[in-house]
Amino acid sequence: MLHTEEDKVRLYQRIEDARDALIALTQDLIRIPTMNPPGEAYLEICEYLQKRLLGRGFDVELVRATGAPGDSDKYPRWNVIARKEGKRPGDCVHFNSHTDVVEVGRGWTFDPFGGEVSDGKIYGRGACDMKGGLAASIIAAEVFIDTFPDFAGAIEISGTADEESGGYGGVAYLAEHGFFTPERVQHVIIPEPLNKDRVCLGHRGVWWAEIETKGHIAHGSMPFLGDCAVRHMGAVVAEMEQSLFPALAQKRTDMPVVPEGARQSTMNINSLHGGLAEPEEGFTGFPSAVVPDSARMVIDRRYLIEENAEEVRGEIVSLLEKVKAERPKFEYELHEMWQVSPTMTARDAPIVTSVARSIETVLAKTPDYVVSPGTYDQKHIDRIGRMHNCIAYGPGILDLAHQPDEYIGIDDMMDSVKVMALTLKELLTA
């Protein structure tokens, strides 16, 4: 049912009354240091959400992703899924947010886990990506239920692990166990920080791999008796600079990827390791004199819907074979780590059109339709769950994610709460 003026007034007033609750919830979530890696405080944040949502009448389940990548007794991968049934049959709308955050890094002027409020913003690691979005979705659901207690269908809220490291201990595991089937869930909103006036339809593809170059160990004073794997890796980097990076820059997409620089194919050298391991902290000795016999590079390749994974892999193999043909004794191994294809929900999908109408109502503007430069958990909902009616929509500025002094604007969260609540009104009160 579309929104009447009376409906809007009732919802908006309750949302304004919940402003302090929204701020407090966001602060509480930020103050739980769910750092990934290694995966700290996952159970703590799930139990916090469990207590909150049980108190609001949700049925709540905690699910450990036993055996998933990263799961261990020291760092178990916990997820929380809450469901509130309506008064009569109807669709289920699911809000999915990841609870993990990346490392703090340097350059902060605020306490990264303090949740401090300053100049209308809440600061902290994960404020933008994406504990502010999680808080907004919870407040939106609570306000909607309070305003329209006889709603149809069901509302689900999940807090899931490991999105920052691929989502395999979170949404992928849940999708494999039936939590995102089209029979259970009909609409999914992921409150990633793509700006409050944007509907994010999907994301580029990703292909991670490790390249290892081989050498022969020898005494560092006689490197001619060995074969330096680091120098071989240097030749790989040089070839990437000369041929691969310029070629990627020429590949463009019709996907509405933001920011503009991500409308091309990209590759990041994630890490380089060669020679002796880094000494332990506090070690005061000197390195030993050896020629390194192994060097490893991890690459993070983002690709477009016009490409495919086989083509992406083939470019790297061709590059390595070219170096091998030109360089004596060059040996390598290529280890594929993981890959996910690009995904993009149709512009006329029900969740897209409903959220778009809500944005127009709240912000008095036509939303922008965008695609994310990096993957998020839509990849698992789409590929494993077979649930294609899925978007990302949430408060926050994408460029702030993973940055020092990360923040979420309180007014932006309030507007997103209105959009989410109106979307629930349209989808669950027909």
Side-chain angles (χ1 to χ4, degrees), residues 28-151:
D28 284 351
L29 295 171
I30 291 169
R31 289 166 182 163
I32 302 174
T34 48
M35 194 96 71
N36 179 28
E40 298 173 346
Y42 282 0
L43 182 57
E44 181 182 349
I45 199 167
C46 287
E47 288 179 336
Y48 174 92
L49 293 167
Q50 178 186 42
K51 181 178 180 181
R52 166 109 191 186
L53 294 168
L54 280 173
R56 295 305 306 253
F58 282 77
D59 296 320
V60 185
E61 185 175 359
L62 298 187
V63 178
R64 178 177 171 180
T66 304
D71 179 69
S72 67
D73 289 340
K74 186 175 182 180
Y75 297 111
R77 269 41 196 172
W78 283 103
N79 303 276
V80 59
I81 306 96
R83 184 178 176 99
K84 175 74 172 178
E85 297 286 353
K87 301 294 186 182
R88 58 190 189 279
D91 286 353
C92 174
V93 179
H94 185 116
F95 294 96
N96 165 250
S97 300
H98 66 85
T99 58
D100 59 319
V101 302
V102 298
E103 65 175 312
V104 170
R106 301 174 180 173
W108 286 79
T109 61
F110 290 87
D111 178 353
F113 296 110
E116 298 174 56
V117 175
S118 178
D119 193 27
K121 305 177 181 72
I122 307 174
Y123 286 84
R125 177 54 82 222
C128 168
D129 186 15
M130 59 180 297
K131 291 178 176 178
L134 171 56
S137 68
I138 292 171
I139 296 297
E142 292 175 347
V143 166
F144 169 76
I145 292 166
D146 289 343
T147 310
F148 303 101
D150 61 343
F151 70 93

Side-chain angles (χ1 to χ4, degrees), residues 98 100-105 108 124-131 163-164 191-195 259 372-376 395-408:
H98 66 85
D100 59 319
V101 302
V102 298
E103 65 175 312
V104 170
W108 286 79
R125 177 54 82 222
C128 168
D129 186 15
M130 59 180 297
K131 291 178 176 178
E163 190 275 343
E164 297 291 2
E192 289 277 7
L194 273 301
N195 295 17
S372 173
T375 67
Y376 53 93
I397 301 169
L398 183 62
D399 292 356
L400 295 175
H402 303 189
Q403 294 283 346
D405 284 349
E406 179 184 348
Y407 68 81
I408 188 79

Side-chain angles (χ1 to χ4, degrees), residues 266-330:
T266 59
M267 191 183 80
N268 176 52
I269 297 175
N270 177 267
S271 61
L272 279 171
H273 305 275
L276 297 176
E278 288 290 320
E280 293 183 7
E281 187 174 354
F283 178 73
T284 59
F286 298 105
S288 58
V290 293
V291 175
D293 60 358
S294 174
R296 293 174 293 113
M297 172 197 295
V298 174
I299 56 175
D300 171 3
R301 171 76 159 85
R302 305 299 170 124
Y303 65 99
L304 313 173
I305 207 164
E306 292 85 357
E307 302 177 90
N308 59 64
E310 292 76 19
E311 176 185 345
V312 169
R313 182 184 187 278
E315 288 175 339
I316 298 299
V317 171
S318 295
L319 183 147
L320 293 169
E321 287 295 317
K322 181 176 185 294
V323 175
K324 183 175 181 178
E326 297 173 350
R327 190 173 181 85
K329 300 182 181 180
F330 182 85

Side-chain angles (χ1 to χ4, degrees), residues 25 39 87 89 113 119 256 314 318 367 374 377 391 393 410:
L25 175 56
K87 301 294 186 182
F113 296 110
D119 193 27
S318 295
D377 280 330
I391 61 166
Y393 170 76
I410 295 170

